[in-house]
């Protein structure tokens, strides 16, 4: 009788633990990095996109649908980044872009130069790549923690404690990155796509133009000529691309302007880029080397 009761109790405990298991799904790797810092060992976090994939060109797979169905909550970026996440069947969905202070967002200018987008009530035309700025990630944390606490009240203390530690880490990271990039402040660059505006603006590097405002919108011969002249008149030192999208249009502009084309990585997930700090340091080192 004693053995039977023990077995029953053990079975019940396992069942309760399974029912209370918390898991989160994000669309891209950087969101996974951020959530992992906050949830710690409280929950599992999975990113739908593998390293090297672009959220702008992703198409839903059966595995994405299954992961969303099984998750406690889904965290996506928002309009202009991963709109396909709206179709995923998850009971609780959060747009991280909506959690960022709205007066900190950038709106894309006519020629791709980032412009402030204060008090934007609509995210149409807003640059969604906010995670490349550690100050904006820090500013987003209180709203992110509140969202996590609403879906998992039992983990509230864990989330708040971890967020406090992550906040201090982000402060230190921002200070260290600013020091590492201090010698290239004021440098001017061109981006293949508007994927790194927030980071560059934070650390004093000016984006004077963008080759493609949207994925697949290849520049005309006239656009290439305009960008060539822009690079020469502004003294742009390089054109930066990223591995998730083709670089043929940017390469044409770089060859016409006679400036180097260099690859950054806004999404990470590859070896040496498997945490938020690692991802930003990877890009900072490239910028410091190329622009110096």
């Amino acid at each position: 009788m004693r053995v039977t009761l023990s077995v029953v109790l053990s079975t019940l405990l396992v069942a309760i633990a399974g029912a209370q298991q918390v898991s989160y799904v994000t669309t891209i790797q950087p969101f996974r990095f951020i959530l992992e810092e906050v949830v710690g060992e409280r929950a599992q976090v999975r990113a739908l996109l593998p390293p090297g994939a672009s959220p702008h060109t992703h198409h839903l797979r059966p595995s994405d649908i299954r992961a969303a169905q099984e998750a406690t909550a889904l965290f996506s970026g928002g309009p202009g980044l991963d709109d396909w996440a709206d179709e995923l069947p998850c009971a609780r969905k959060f747009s991280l872009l909506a959690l960022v202070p709205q007066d900190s967002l950038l709106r894309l200018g006519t020629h791709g130069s980032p412009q402030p987008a204060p008090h934007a009530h609509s995210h149409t035309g807003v640059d969604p790549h906010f995670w490349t700025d550690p100050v904006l990630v820090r500013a987003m944390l209180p709203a992110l923690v509140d969202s996590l606490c609403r879906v998992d009240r039992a983990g509230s203390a864990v989330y708040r404690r971890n967020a406090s530690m992550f906040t201090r880490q982000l402060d230190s990271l921002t200070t260290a990155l600013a020091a590492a990039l201090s010698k290239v402040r004021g440098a001017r660059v061109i981006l293949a796509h508007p994927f790194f505006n927030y980071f560059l603006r934070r650390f004093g590097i000016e984006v004077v133009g963008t080759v493609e405002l949207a994925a697949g919108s290849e520049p005309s011969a006239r656009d290439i000529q305009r960008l060539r002249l822009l690079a020469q008149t502004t003294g742009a030192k390089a054109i930066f691309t990223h591995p998730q999208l083709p670089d043929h249009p940017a390469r044409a502009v770089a060859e016409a302007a006679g400036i180097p084309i260099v690859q950054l990585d806004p999404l990470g997930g590859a070896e040496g880029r498997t945490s938020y700090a690692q991802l930003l340091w990877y890009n900072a080192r490239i910028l410091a080397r190329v622009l110096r």
Side-chain angles (χ1 to χ4, degrees):
M1 181 67 178
R2 198 172 292 167
V3 173
T4 304
L5 183 59
S6 176
V7 170
V8 170
L9 287 172
S10 297
T11 304
L12 285 172
L13 288 172
V14 170
I16 292 170
Q20 293 179 337
Q21 187 173 13
V22 181
S23 65
Y24 299 114
V25 167
T26 70
T27 51
I28 60 175
Q29 298 289 332
F31 297 163
R32 175 174 71 85
F33 302 155
I34 293 167
L35 251 72
E36 284 178 336
E37 295 286 352
V38 178
V39 306
E41 297 183 358
R42 171 69 187 173
Q44 293 182 336
V45 184
R46 172 185 173 183
L48 296 179
L49 266 68
S54 169
H56 297 289
T57 58
H58 184 67
H59 297 286
L60 286 178
R61 304 166 299 178
S63 59
D64 299 333
I65 296 172
R66 287 195 301 271
Q69 286 175 328
E70 297 169 358
T72 305
L74 166 69
F75 291 86
S76 62
L81 181 73
D82 47 16
D83 305 79
W84 45 267
D86 293 340
E87 302 176 28
L88 288 169
C90 187
R92 300 179 182 90
K93 296 180 183 178
F94 297 94
S95 165
L96 293 181
L97 188 66
L99 304 183
V100 178
Q102 300 300 286
D103 59 359
S104 299
L105 297 176
L106 296 175
R107 188 174 295 279
L108 297 175
T110 305
H111 299 300
S113 300
Q115 305 293 331
H119 313 299
H121 298 292
S122 169
H123 287 150
T124 303
V126 168
D127 185 341
H129 305 84
F130 71 89
W131 69 87
T132 61
D133 182 348
V135 174
L136 290 194
V137 172
R138 183 192 193 282
M140 180 193 70
L141 284 184
L144 174 59
V145 170
D146 288 343
S147 300
L148 289 167
C149 292
R150 284 201 300 274
V151 299
D152 176 28
R153 293 186 181 278
S156 296
V158 174
Y159 299 144
R160 297 192 189 283
R161 182 173 64 250
N162 289 343
S164 179
M165 290 189 293
F166 190 32
T167 295
R168 293 193 293 272
Q169 292 169 9
L170 288 170
D171 288 341
S172 298
L173 176 63
T174 302
T175 300
L177 288 171
L181 293 168
S182 61
K183 293 183 179 179
V184 298
R185 287 185 66 86
R188 293 174 175 176
V189 304
I190 293 175
L191 292 179
H193 308 95
F195 68 96
F196 225 61
N197 285 323
Y198 287 97
F199 183 98
L200 297 173
R201 187 170 187 260
R202 174 61 57 193
F203 298 107
I205 299 169
E206 183 181 355
V207 179
V208 296
T210 304
V211 179
E212 296 178 273
L213 283 176
S217 59
E218 294 197 12
S220 64
R222 187 175 181 177
D223 291 330
I224 292 176
Q225 175 69 359
R226 176 184 60 79
L227 287 163
R228 179 186 70 80
L229 291 173
L230 183 67
Q232 292 174 342
T233 56
T234 60
K237 291 191 172 184
I239 294 180
F240 289 99
T241 66
H242 58 94
Q244 291 82 21
L245 289 174
D247 67 354
H248 309 301
R251 193 166 294 280
V253 174
E255 290 175 357
I259 58 177
I261 184 168
V262 182
Q263 193 174 86
L264 299 174
D265 183 5
L267 297 178
E271 184 178 355
R273 285 161 270 171
T274 56
S275 74
Y276 185 71
Q278 284 183 355
L279 178 61
L280 293 198
W281 273 117
Y282 172 84
N283 291 287
R285 292 186 183 103
I286 293 174
L287 288 164
R289 183 180 69 249
V290 171
L291 299 182
R292 189 174 296 159

